[in-house]
Amino acid sequence: MTFDTVNLIPVLPEILILILASAVLLVDLYVKEAEKGTLHTLALIGVALALAATLLVGGGERQVVLEGHYVRDALSDALKAMILIVGLLVFVYSRDYLRDRGLATGEYYALALFALLGMMVMVSANSFLAIYLGLELLALCLYALVAFDRDSQRGAEAAMKYFVLGALGSGMLLYGISMIYGATGSLALDEVAAVVAEQGLENLVLVFGLAFLVVGIGFKFGAVPFHMWVPDIYEGAPTPVVLLLGSAPKIAALALAVRLLIDGLGGLQSDWQGMLVILSVLSMGLGNLLAIAQTNIKRMLAYSTISHVGFIFLGLLAGTADGFAAAMFYAIVYAMMAAGAFGILLILSRRGFDAEHLDDLKGLNDRDTWYAAVMALMMFSMAGVPPFVGFMAKLFVLKAVVDIGMTWLAIVAVFFSIIGAFYYLRIVWLIYFDKPTTDAPLTDSGGVRVAMSLNGLAVLGLGLFPATLLAICQAAFL
Amino acid sequence: MENLYLTIVLAPLVGSIVAGFFGARIGRAGAHWVCILGVGLSAALSLSVVAGFLWGDLEPFNEAVYTWAVSDGVRFEIGFLVDRLTASMMAVVTFVSLMVHIYTIGYMADDDHNWPHESLAGRHSYQRFFSYISLFTFSMLMLVMSNNFLQLFFGWEAVGLVSYLLIGFWSTRESAIFANMKAFIVNRVGDFGFILGIAAIAAYFGSLDYAEVFAAAPGLADVEVALFGGVSLLTLIGVLLFIGAMGKSAQMPLHVWLPDSMEGPTPISALIHAATMVTAGIFMVARMSPLYELSETALSFILIVGATTAFLMGLIGLVQNDIKRVVAYSTLSQLGYMVAALGASAYAAGIFHLMTHAFFKALLFLAAGSVIIALHHNQDIRTMGGIRRYMPITWLTALIGSLALIGFPGFSGFFSKDAIIEAVGASHVFGATYAWVLLTVGVFVTALYSFRMYFLVFHGQPRMDEHARAHLHESPWVVTVPLILLAIPSIFIGWYAVEPMLFGDWLAGAIHVAHEHDTLAHMAEHYHGQWAFILHGMTMPPFFLAMGGLAVAAWVYWWLQRRNPDIDAELQRRAGPLAAILENKYGFDDFNQRVFAGGSRGIGQVLWQTGDRRLIDDGLVNGSARTVGQLAARVRHIQTGFLYHYAIAMIVGLIVLLTVFVTL
């Protein structure tokens, strides 16, 4: 046995987050109740440092470290940076809400940071083991966060459902991994890929395992019919947790899909393509259809998520480099739009009141013109109205699908997104053409207004100038 | 040279933008100064271009300055073609525009009174007016200086837009809104033909550049289009383009908008609806002479339309009582003369008359406007009379304008109108004799209505009320100076321009006339200087007819009216049905209003009710929305909230994936 010098430089961002999470746990023991704000500052500084580290160690050749379990490449750089940026937004938007309800404890920050760590591990995983590790780290933190408001019955119920279904999903993923391990004799993605390329579709065990993996991926994304948890959890969990759970993990889930399906089982593309087509069409259809019937805006956004997942799958199933880039673009953009939309809900909430219903958005324009504009912008973007970035995202995935000759699928997608436009535009209508039901002040201390403005301008700016982000996405799949 | 031409075009645009967007900040004086400076610069440079062609060694310029797009080999460009024809137009447009700009200072000084109190549209209306007329100047220059059909169309539509904005300038008046809508819609009909013509050119020539199209035209002279059982391509293009000209230059039956356009302020009636925009059609046909020369059918069509308009519209002028409408019908009639000249291939005569007419008609309008200001916006000539004594400058200039209009020997209108009638007489295309008769008799009509108005307004006993008469006085210098400056060319421009324009080589190269159509060359053989031209003209029927008209007008409206102030109304009563026909303007308005306006509204109503509301709104839009809503209401029940249902759904999903993909 020889000991190589372990190169830990590429893992620096993860190490920083780990140290930070541990530090938060320790500091929490020593600060008084009144000074919990320190934790917020600490978390922000730490995440910003990790972001800097990501950009610092990023770029250049693909690096495989930690005995082949861990990879740092263009994909992981970009996705990690985006996860951390969204993480920053999450912390900024959530602060007031948590403080007002006495939830701004060390546990919240520690769990959220460990969740970020889990996502980063998923993004950089290069073996089934690492993937599963990251996945579970993320999932366990989220289970706890959903039940974080201990006095809330809805929260407890949602956490229970999430935990049981999550266990089922993880179990299936694990089962699939074990079957593929059985067929290929390896856990490392490159070796699996080599064997798959050799055996291909003839090995039924591989296809069997693949189906289980797709179920696992579908569960993480919340694709129909593995979506059942999404609306209930979105509705039941505290809004800051939904903000965390509904934004960045989509980016991580994309990494999961890319690592498993493309890096690992790229040889089985013809099979997983078909599976994703089914999930995609179902997700777009059911998601958009059911979102219309919702009066609870968190539930509505849950179904909206499901429909967007269908669009992300469009890019993945295209199976081309452009398609993957489009899916990645879409996932990043979606995380930004979701962060903005939930952020507005947090601003509308105050002590003893959670903004949850469509009616709560009525007349937002009369209460705050700028936030109303940002929310309208988010909704237009989600609906896919040019020139906002949501339109570009949809355009790229549709183009990828059309390029491989599946025009019918693009038509289906456009059809469902027309249906979807209804409920997004209804929100715009409520904001601008209805009278407010309350004149309570909005809660937006600190940098919330700045962060929300940047968030909104990014959605507009990236829509006008999508080339840079698209180039980054394309570079990840060269 | 490019920069010079760009300056000429853009200076008015800059004025317009500054006055339009910053009018509130720079105030009234700022707005009129910036616009007058812009147009003045452009006028000075345009005159220098004319001088360059006249005495210098300026060569025609034909270049693109900007390429917008190239699609399938067709270039879409902004470019200038400046030859002597263009230079004449530029000078006329910018000079008249400058005069009108100055005049407007006086005319619009009290514009606040024309708006309801506290009207939002009335705020800064003065600046807006200046912005519009400068914008018009820019658009008109773009039109005449274009070297391709695309830019021609741009200018064509832009002047139409400004005309629309200015006719409806007093937007709180019902009649103004009706008039500008009417002008816009009638012009749409013409423009439809125009753009079809341009499309035909693009389709068959593969180019929108004048020079390229003209060069290729003779090669396509025999091409037939399978339309109405085969029609010559060039006839089709010629007629379609001319339909556009009929809209813009108000030829029958698309003339109906021009009299109504008098709802606009008088300065723009002078500038747009007399001197320049309405002559765009004349200019366009002259510019397209290489195409028209290849189609005798199109020429014949033009000739007949022009002559008919000239005669019938002049007759209506006899029964009008609104001072501006008399001048408006006179404009229609004179446009008919110009168009008839084009039909007789005497393009140069048409352009010549365009030029002289621009001066004397703008003069007449501005003089009418001067009277209107003095009478506090009373326009009814029955309540005028005797104004000569109170407004000597207006009176004298109006007299000059009227003499020029009827073609009194020596005045500018004499040369151009005589040339047109002679050219039509010498023409051999189908309908030339018919046209000649109408145009010749038209001279009598012209003299009659012109001097009917002149005598009713300026002579006889004052018929306005005491209050108005007490306040009668000459207009301020900003009004009278433009009148004087316009009166000068109204007298002299014919004398100086007749030789180079009609018989010299001023327009050679810009206008192409086939040898067998060349009526002017025929006249040139007998041309021996201006004096001889005048003497010859005085032996011809048009002269006698003009003098006859003048004499009749003087007898009735000067001599007889002294004894019987109601002579005009009495005459009209006696004329009975004939006067009624003229009063109804041959029923064009009623017909359009009932058949076209009513018909399209009826069709629109049907389409709206059944097509849009029932089929699209209720059926497609609301129907599908309802279906989706019901579907969603039903499907949402699959989300039961029970954990085991959720788990089952996942398992079923897995089983489906397995069965579909593993067993296949």
Side-chain angles (χ1 to χ4, degrees):
Chain A
M1 202 182 208
T2 54
F3 287 94
D4 294 327
T5 347
V6 184
N7 181 5
L8 285 179
I9 299 296
V11 202
L12 191 60
E14 281 85 346
I15 293 174
L16 279 174
I17 294 285
L18 179 61
I19 294 173
L20 175 65
S22 313
V24 164
L25 277 178
L26 283 176
V27 171
D28 183 42
L29 294 176
Y30 296 100
V31 296
K32 296 189 200 77
E33 268 315 304
E35 292 165 10
K36 293 290 185 189
T38 326
L39 297 174
H40 179 74
T41 320
L42 191 62
L44 283 188
I45 294 172
V47 174
L49 276 178
L51 179 60
T54 307
L55 300 177
L56 201 68
V57 302
E61 286 296 298
R62 174 185 152 100
Q63 288 167 293
V64 180
V65 290
L66 300 180
E67 315 270 322
H69 287 294
Y70 190 94
V71 63
R72 204 223 96 252
D73 53 11
L75 178 72
S76 75
D77 291 341
L79 292 185
K80 256 184 253 179
M82 285 314 302
I83 287 172
L84 291 171
I85 289 173
V86 174
L88 279 176
L89 288 177
V90 169
F91 285 133
V92 173
Y93 293 158
S94 312
R95 191 179 75 150
D96 290 338
Y97 184 101
L98 295 169
R99 196 190 48 210
D100 289 349
R101 287 164 184 72
L103 294 175
T105 53
E107 290 90 334
Y108 172 80
Y109 286 102
L111 285 170
L113 288 169
F114 276 120
L116 283 183
L117 180 63
M119 292 184 231
M120 292 165 81
V121 172
M122 282 166 79
V123 166
S124 270
N126 197 32
S127 73
F128 284 131
L129 214 53
I131 288 179
Y132 191 71
L133 189 67
L135 187 67
E136 282 304 286
L137 184 53
L138 169 64
L140 286 171
C141 293
L142 291 181
Y143 300 149
L145 279 171
V146 170
F148 186 63
D149 188 359
R150 274 168 300 187
D151 302 329
S152 159
Q153 257 188 351
R154 288 197 311 173
E157 183 192 331
M160 193 64 203
K161 282 178 182 166
Y162 191 21
F163 180 64
V164 173
L165 294 174
L168 190 61
S170 290
M172 288 188 184
L173 186 73
L174 210 50
Y175 194 58
I177 289 176
S178 68
M179 261 188 279
I180 290 173
Y181 177 64
T184 60
S186 172
L187 286 174
L189 289 177
D190 349 351
E191 290 169 30
V192 170
V195 178
V196 170
E198 204 175 293
Q199 298 183 344
L201 297 172
E202 281 156 34
N203 193 338
L204 263 191
V205 181
L206 276 180
V207 182
F208 219 82
L210 172 69
F212 280 93
L213 288 190
V214 168
V215 173
I217 294 169
F219 179 83
K220 274 327 284 182
F221 266 112
V224 181
F226 314 109
H227 69 289
M228 296 295 226
W229 61 276
V230 181
D232 288 15
I233 274 67
Y234 274 42
E235 190 185 356
T239 313
V241 175
V242 183
L243 168 61
L244 174 65
L245 182 150
S247 54
K250 292 287 174 275
I251 302 178
L254 179 91
L256 175 74
V258 170
R259 297 291 182 212
L260 286 178
L261 296 182
I262 301 165
D263 290 357
L265 301 173
L268 298 177
Q269 192 192 329
S270 57
D271 263 348
W272 57 252
Q273 183 176 54
M275 298 180 187
L276 291 187
V277 169
I278 296 178
L279 299 192
S280 166
V281 172
L282 286 176
S283 301
M284 289 186 294
L286 206 70
N288 280 318
L289 212 54
L290 284 182
I292 290 179
Q294 305 306 320
T295 53
N296 181 307
I297 188 166
K298 282 160 79 181
R299 264 189 107 79
M300 191 208 90
L301 286 172
Y303 284 108
S304 141
T305 305
I306 294 170
S307 73
H308 285 292
V309 164
F311 272 96
I312 296 176
F313 278 8
L314 285 184
L316 287 176
L317 66 86
T320 56
D322 277 346
F324 300 144
M328 179 172 161
F329 187 89
Y330 204 116
I332 290 173
V333 164
Y334 175 74
M336 273 169 31
M337 297 189 296
F342 283 111
I344 294 281
L345 291 189
L346 287 173
I347 291 169
L348 286 171
S349 304
R350 56 187 176 275
R351 196 187 301 267
F353 171 78
D354 277 15
E356 285 195 337
H357 291 281
L358 290 177
D359 290 352
D360 299 334
L361 283 167
K362 275 186 181 170
L364 178 57
N365 187 46
D366 294 341
R367 298 169 66 190
D368 190 309
T369 317
W370 180 239
Y371 286 138
V374 172
M375 186 63 171
L377 206 141
M378 295 295 167
M379 290 300 121
F380 276 124
S381 181
M382 282 196 181
V385 176
F388 306 109
V389 69
F391 167 76
M392 300 311 297
K394 280 198 168 63
L395 183 70
F396 294 144
V397 293
L398 290 177
K399 185 170 174 299
V401 175
V402 171
D403 281 348
I404 59 160
M406 296 176 91
T407 314
W408 68 270
L409 192 55
I411 293 172
V412 170
V414 170
F415 178 74
F416 283 126
S417 73
I418 292 172
I419 294 181
F422 168 77
Y423 56 87
Y424 296 122
L425 298 184
R426 178 171 58 189
I427 291 194
V428 176
W429 190 81
L430 289 174
I431 290 176
Y432 283 99
F433 298 104
D434 253 331
K435 288 274 155 271
T437 49
T438 168
D439 54 358
L442 302 169
T443 41
D444 63 334
S445 64
V448 172
R449 191 171 283 267
V450 177
M452 188 55 79
S453 305
L454 289 176
N455 201 167
L457 290 179
V459 167
L460 177 62
L462 287 173
L464 294 173
F465 308 103
T468 317
L469 183 56
L470 186 65
I472 292 173
C473 293
Q474 280 168 337
F477 295 99
L478 279 181
Chain B
M1 285 326 282
E2 192 180 309
N3 288 333
L4 171 71
Y5 297 135
L6 273 175
T7 313
I8 293 176
V9 170
L10 294 179
L13 181 63
V14 171
S16 169
I17 289 172
V18 173
F21 287 114
F22 308 102
R25 214 165 305 161
I26 59 178
R28 285 177 155 221
H32 71 230
W33 273 113
V34 70
C35 288
I36 288 175
L37 282 177
V39 175
L41 176 64
S42 178
L45 293 177
S46 298
L47 290 175
S48 82
V49 171
V50 173
F53 277 120
L54 267 180
W55 299 296
D57 51 356
L58 198 59
E59 286 299 311
F61 173 93
N62 182 10
E63 267 174 47
V65 293
Y66 168 69
T67 302
W68 178 37
V70 179
S71 169
D72 208 13
V74 181
R75 281 171 293 116
F76 298 96
E77 294 174 331
I78 305 292
F80 295 136
L81 165 59
V82 182
D83 53 13
R84 293 181 172 86
L85 173 61
T86 310
S88 319
M89 288 299 290
M90 284 158 62
V92 171
V93 168
T94 53
F95 178 73
V96 176
S97 176
L98 180 63
M99 292 303 110
V100 167
H101 271 77
I102 296 170
Y103 178 91
T104 299
I105 298 174
Y107 193 85
M108 298 301 274
D110 294 325
D111 192 44
D112 296 343
H113 299 309
N114 294 318
W115 298 90
H117 190 57
E118 292 287 302
S119 152
L120 199 61
R123 279 168 59 192
H124 310 304
S125 63
Y126 184 86
Q127 287 93 319
R128 195 161 35 136
F129 189 84
F130 271 97
S131 172
Y132 285 167
I133 49 179
S134 280
L135 182 65
F136 169 78
T137 313
F138 159 75
S139 312
M140 191 70 198
L141 286 171
M142 283 295 274
L143 192 163
V144 297
M145 291 169 74
S146 167
N147 77 344
N148 62 75
F149 286 92
L150 181 77
Q151 189 181 337
L152 173 73
F153 187 72
F154 165 80
W156 196 264
E157 293 300 311
V159 292
L161 168 72
V162 185
S163 160
Y164 163 83
L165 290 171
L166 284 168
I167 295 172
F169 183 75
W170 286 314
S171 56
T172 50
R173 297 182 185 171
E174 198 72 39
S175 56
I177 297 303
F178 179 81
N180 76 348
M181 195 70 97
K182 185 170 173 184
F184 203 75
I185 291 172
V186 173
N187 269 294
R188 231 62 347 243
V189 178
D191 291 351
F192 187 61
F194 192 57
I195 199 164
L196 282 181
I198 293 178
I201 287 171
Y204 282 89
F205 290 82
S207 169
L208 291 172
D209 190 86
Y210 289 166
E212 290 175 16
V213 170
F214 296 160
L220 290 163
D222 298 326
V223 176
E224 292 234 324
V225 184
L227 213 64
F228 315 117
V231 57
S232 147
L233 171 69
L234 290 175
T235 301
L236 181 73
I237 289 175
V239 170
L240 285 174
L241 290 179
F242 181 66
I243 287 174
M246 284 164 70
K248 197 112 291 181
S249 294
Q251 295 300 297
M252 286 172 74
L254 298 181
H255 66 283
V256 289
W257 64 272
L258 188 60
D260 285 27
S261 77
M262 296 301 130
E263 287 297 334
T266 306
I268 64 111
S269 304
L271 176 63
I272 301 185
H273 303 121
T276 56
M277 184 192 81
V278 289
T279 60
I282 318 303
F283 165 78
M284 189 273 292
V285 174
R287 176 56 86 205
M288 301 305 145
S289 58
L291 297 181
Y292 282 100
E293 279 306 297
L294 296 168
S295 168
E296 207 151 289
T297 319
L299 286 176
S300 193
F301 179 67
I302 293 174
L303 181 61
I304 291 170
V305 168
T308 311
T309 306
F311 182 68
L312 292 183
M313 293 300 120
L315 283 182
I316 297 183
L318 291 172
V319 299
Q320 294 299 315
N321 293 320
D322 180 316
I323 185 168
K324 282 181 73 182
R325 285 193 182 240
V326 178
V327 189
Y329 279 102
S330 149
T331 305
L332 279 170
S333 169
Q334 298 306 308
L335 287 168
Y337 276 92
M338 297 175 213
V339 169
L342 302 173
S345 292
Y347 304 100
I351 293 294
F352 184 36
H353 194 52
L354 185 165
M355 186 172 79
T356 57
H357 174 259
F359 294 121
F360 65 69
K361 189 51 64 68
L363 170 61
L364 277 174
F365 260 120
L366 295 187
S370 173
V371 172
I372 291 171
I373 316 173
L375 291 173
H376 301 287
H377 293 271
N378 173 16
Q379 308 191 356
D380 192 335
I381 53 177
R382 287 169 298 188
T383 61
M384 295 180 184
I387 290 176
R388 175 172 57 106
R389 266 164 284 157
Y390 304 95
M391 306 179 73
I393 300 178
T394 304
W395 161 68
L396 196 64
T397 50
L399 178 62
I400 291 171
S402 301
L403 288 173
L405 170 60
I406 68 164
F408 194 83
F411 284 73
S412 61
F414 168 79
F415 294 99
S416 53
K417 194 180 289 181
D418 229 40
I420 289 176
I421 294 172
E422 282 222 20
V424 171
S427 174
H428 299 294
V429 298
F430 175 78
T433 317
Y434 161 83
W436 184 81
V437 172
L438 287 188
L439 293 182
T440 310
V441 180
V443 172
F444 176 80
V445 179
T446 308
L448 190 56
Y449 67 68
S450 301
F451 275 87
R452 166 177 174 260
M453 182 185 89
Y454 167 78
F455 285 120
L456 283 178
V457 171
F458 292 103
H459 292 267
Q461 290 302 315
R463 296 182 295 279
M464 67 284 297
D465 56 58
E466 262 318 300
H467 175 76
R469 197 175 62 182
H471 286 86
L472 260 186
H473 59 81
E474 183 58 276
S475 299
W477 68 269
V478 284
V479 170
T480 51
V481 165
L483 292 180
I484 296 167
L485 288 180
L486 282 167
I488 294 167
S490 297
I491 304 175
F492 297 111
I493 192 87
W495 177 274
Y496 289 108
V498 62
E499 196 170 322
M501 274 195 98
L502 292 187
F503 311 118
D505 57 356
W506 175 250
L507 292 176
I511 283 174
H512 170 80
V513 184
H515 180 67
E516 64 273 21
H517 295 155
D518 204 344
T519 45
L520 286 175
H522 174 71
M523 287 163 63
E525 291 166 17
H526 307 287
Y527 179 78
H528 308 291
Q530 290 98 326
W531 282 117
F533 189 89
I534 292 173
L535 288 175
H536 172 71
M538 288 170 75
T539 65
M540 299 296 281
F543 170 72
F544 300 118
L545 286 167
M547 290 308 111
L550 202 165
V552 171
W555 179 58
V556 175
Y557 295 103
W558 194 35
W559 185 252
L560 287 184
Q561 219 216 1
R562 284 198 185 163
R563 260 152 279 173
N564 180 3
D566 289 330
I567 183 83
D568 188 53
E570 201 168 297
L571 276 178
Q572 289 194 23
R573 241 193 334 274
R574 281 198 207 160
L578 189 64
I581 291 174
L582 293 179
E583 290 269 353
N584 289 327
K585 305 152 200 162
Y586 312 113
F588 276 106
D589 275 346
D590 293 337
F591 179 77
N592 287 340
Q593 199 63 28
R594 243 172 250 156
V595 177
F596 289 118
S600 19
R601 283 161 68 140
I603 295 173
Q605 192 80 14
V606 169
L607 290 178
W608 174 53
Q609 287 290 356
T610 59
D612 204 55
R613 286 188 67 176
R614 210 160 298 158
L615 209 70
I616 296 177
D617 277 9
D618 288 356
L620 285 173
V621 178
N622 291 335
S624 50
R626 237 188 339 265
T627 315
V628 169
Q630 284 165 355
L631 197 62
R634 211 159 295 166
V635 177
R636 68 182 297 190
H637 294 299
I638 61 167
Q639 193 80 20
T640 53
F642 293 121
L643 190 54
Y644 54 90
H645 284 166
Y646 295 2
I648 281 288
M650 286 176 68
I651 308 262
V652 169
L654 172 70
I655 290 171
V656 169
L657 287 187
L658 284 176
T659 42
V660 171
F661 290 96
V662 177
T663 52
L664 289 182

